[in-house]
Amino acid sequence: MSGLMFAAAAGAPLLAGWSVHALRLTRRIEAARRDPLTGLWTRDAFEDRARKNLAHGSQRAVLVLDLNWFKEINDTHGHAAGDAVIRATGMRLGEWAAGHHGVAGRLGGDEFAAVAAMDDPGEVLGLIRSLERPVTFEDCDIDVHVSVGVARHGHGSPDLSALLRQADEHMYLAKREGGGASIAPQHKTTPALPTVNGRRYGRPGTTGKEAA
C-alpha cells in the first residue's frame, strides 16, 4: 500500500504538469480563433458557434453589419483611428450579442456578424443606437454609421449559410439607402439580389459598379 501511495505521489506532479500544458494549449487555440483587434471570434470560429446557437431555438436572428464611409475615417483621421472605431464596434456588438444570448464575430475588415435571440425585430434599432455612438480618439469624437441586415430564423432546421447570405443582401440594401437596418421577410428565402460570379451583386469581384 505504501508503495502504491508513493507511486501516486510521484506521478502527481507529472499529471499536474500535463494539465497545465493542456490548459495552455487550449487557451492558445482559442486565442488563435479570436480577432486580435476586437476580441471577437474570427469567421470560422463564429460560424461554428453560430450554428450551435441557432439550434437552441427558433426565435433567433442572424445579423450582418458594415460600417459606412469607413475609408473616409482612415483617410481623415488615420488608420489608428480606424482601428479604434473597429475595436469599439466589436466591443459594442459583442456586449449586445451576449445580452441577447448570442454570439458575435468579425468577418473581416469593417464587416461583422452576430446571431442573437430576437423576439421583436425592432430590437435592432437599439443595437444601431449603441453602435453609432461617437468613438473618441485622441480628443476627437469620430462619428460612426452602420448598415445592418437581419435575417430571422423561423421553424425548421436552420441553414446558417442561407441566413448569412440573406442578412448580407439586406445589409447591402440598407447601405444603398444610406444606412440603418433592412429586415428580411421571415419566410422568404429567394435572394433579394442577383448573383454575379457566384457572389452577391455589389461585392468585390463581381462586375457590378457598386461595392459593399
Side-chain angles (χ1 to χ4, degrees):
M1 182 64 69
S2 60
L4 291 174
M5 292 178 63
F6 176 79
L14 181 62
L15 291 173
W18 276 110
S19 297
V20 171
H21 175 73
L23 179 60
R24 288 176 177 170
L25 182 61
T26 299
R27 288 177 176 173
R28 287 177 182 174
I29 292 173
E30 179 170 309
R33 306 190 77 188
R34 293 275 190 179
D35 171 54
L37 184 59
T38 64
L40 297 181
W41 297 109
T42 56
R43 180 185 289 269
D44 289 344
F46 164 74
E47 290 184 359
D48 287 344
R49 285 158 178 78
R51 287 189 177 90
K52 295 175 183 176
N53 191 281
L54 280 173
H56 289 165
S58 61
Q59 295 302 316
R60 294 184 181 271
V62 174
L63 300 86
V64 172
L65 65 96
D66 185 90
L67 295 175
N68 301 334
W69 309 296
F70 181 68
K71 183 178 183 299
E72 283 76 358
I73 293 176
N74 281 331
D75 292 345
T76 303
H77 302 282
H79 288 277
D83 286 348
V85 171
I86 291 288
R87 186 181 302 109
T89 300
M91 292 178 61
R92 293 167 180 176
L93 179 63
E95 290 174 358
W96 181 87
H100 286 75
H101 309 287
V103 60
R106 182 183 179 194
L107 302 183
D110 60 328
E111 190 172 47
F112 302 81
V115 172
M118 187 182 292
D119 296 326
D120 179 5
E123 293 180 58
V124 73
L125 298 179
L127 170 62
I128 291 176
R129 285 194 293 270
S130 172
L131 295 176
E132 292 193 337
R133 298 198 312 271
V135 173
T136 301
F137 177 77
E138 294 184 348
D139 299 325
C140 178
D141 287 339
I142 301 173
D143 291 333
V144 180
H145 303 279
V146 301
S147 295
V148 183
V150 182
R152 290 173 291 165
H153 166 46
H155 298 288
S157 299
D159 183 341
L160 178 64
S161 296
L163 290 167
L164 280 171
R165 175 181 170 80
Q166 193 177 40
D168 178 70
E169 290 179 341
H170 280 267
M171 178 275 292
Y172 184 56
L173 291 174
K175 183 176 284 288
R176 291 202 306 188
E177 295 297 321
S182 177
I183 301 172
Q186 187 164 358
H187 300 294
K188 182 180 178 182
T189 57
T190 304
L193 296 168
T195 298
V196 181
N197 298 334
R199 308 193 73 191
R200 184 258 293 155
Y201 177 84
R203 278 283 185 194
T206 70
T207 57
K209 294 181 180 179
E210 295 171 281

